[in-house]
Amino acid sequence: MQDDIGTLLRSFLNNALRKQSQRRIRDFGGYQIGKRRNLHVIEPIARDTAEFLCTYLCISLRGEAASKEGVASAIAAALRNVSDELAFKLTRHSDEAWTTLCHSVAEFLEGCLQIDHRPYDGSLTAQSDFNGWKSWELTTSGEKPKGQWRHAWKEKPGDDFIGFDGNACMGRIFKIDLMDSSERWYWLIAADGSPRRGWPAAGYEASARSAACRVERIYFALAKGEERFG
């Protein structure tokens, strides 16, 4: 697997796993090391994560497209291998623990599946006047992000950020060579299975600021139940 694909996989896992509810994380990690862990939450966590990965990555098994169920099964198997100590550290909001978890799950998936970037077909981006947006939807020059944005990988600062509204993950923005468009900042809305209401789940902007603002606009519109028209 190419390094850039591996980095992308780990970043997507970081996004998908860390957006799980605090209740699920607590059930998975337990209330003390090895105490009161509810491993039944592994299945829904794995399904949510597989849904996210299969949306943005091309995942196959022996040359054939892998099903979401198959990917979820592999993720669940990886999560069952997590030690009690590491699982409990997740409940303590340890960035190091989350990084270790993402690497562990990624290595498991890389060992049993073939993973590549998904050729972009435009299906996730709004189609309209300019850059996928109507004139009244464009971000303005003075607009600034309101949420908390931090590096996706604490030990490897770079052009990859995740935005939070309190404890809720809003989405991710990144700039990588993989896309052959170094001047573009790509953005993704955190997937939680809720209706998109006409809003796109991904796209790009010309700057990190604009991409972060775009994520926040869509996140808060979805939170309010607002439809996108036009």
Side-chain angles (χ1 to χ4, degrees):
M1 175 175 291
Q2 299 176 7
D3 288 344
D4 49 9
I5 296 296
T7 298
L8 195 59
L9 171 62
R10 285 158 175 77
S11 187
F12 283 167
L13 283 170
N14 188 54
N15 192 347
L17 292 170
R18 295 191 75 158
K19 77 176 182 61
Q20 298 296 316
S21 69
Q22 291 301 306
R23 175 62 181 273
R24 280 186 180 178
I25 294 172
R26 173 62 68 182
D27 284 345
F28 179 70
Y31 289 79
Q32 294 181 35
I33 296 177
K35 302 293 185 180
R36 297 173 61 187
R37 291 188 65 192
N38 179 7
L39 299 185
H40 292 297
V41 298
I42 286 179
E43 297 299 332
I45 291 174
R47 286 195 298 269
D48 284 356
T49 305
E51 178 75 26
F52 189 89
L53 295 184
C54 290
T55 298
Y56 300 111
L57 295 172
C58 184
I59 305 177
S60 58
L61 175 64
R62 293 188 291 274
E64 299 292 335
S67 66
K68 290 180 182 178
E69 292 77 12
V71 175
S73 178
I75 294 170
L79 292 176
R80 291 190 187 96
N81 287 334
V82 174
S83 69
D84 290 341
E85 290 80 7
L86 176 58
F88 181 68
K89 287 180 180 178
L90 301 177
T91 69
R92 314 299 291 180
H93 308 291
S94 167
D95 287 335
E96 181 180 359
W98 281 105
T99 298
T100 300
L101 175 69
C102 292
H103 280 304
S104 176
V105 175
E107 288 176 356
F108 188 94
L109 296 180
E110 290 166 348
C112 60
L113 298 167
Q114 294 78 53
I115 303 173
D116 202 349
H117 71 278
R118 181 178 293 281
Y120 186 62
D121 61 4
S123 63
L124 295 174
T125 302
Q127 303 296 314
S128 54
D129 296 345
F130 176 77
N131 194 26
W133 301 102
K134 296 292 186 180
S135 58
W136 61 84
E137 295 178 315
L138 300 181
T139 56
T140 62
S141 59
E143 190 171 352
K144 296 181 180 180
K146 300 177 181 178
Q148 296 177 324
W149 290 85
R150 63 192 189 200
H151 289 289
W153 302 102
K154 185 177 180 180
E155 75 283 4
K156 186 181 178 182
D159 298 328
D160 194 334
F161 299 86
I162 294 177
F164 291 88
D165 173 33
N167 290 325
C169 176
M170 296 185 291
R172 172 175 170 254
I173 63 173
F174 59 95
K175 184 175 69 171
I176 57 176
D177 295 335
L178 174 65
M179 302 297 185
D180 296 324
S181 301
S182 59
E183 76 282 2
R184 293 180 178 179
W185 279 82
Y186 290 82
W187 54 265
L188 300 170
I189 300 298
D192 61 2
S194 59
R196 283 168 48 188
R197 302 184 183 280
W199 296 98
Y204 67 87
E205 296 287 341
S207 69
R209 177 192 59 79
S210 295
C213 289
R214 180 64 64 198
V215 167
E216 293 185 0
R217 280 194 185 189
I218 297 176
Y219 169 83
F220 288 116
L222 289 172
K224 295 176 183 177
E226 296 177 356
E227 299 277 349
R228 180 179 186 251
F229 299 99

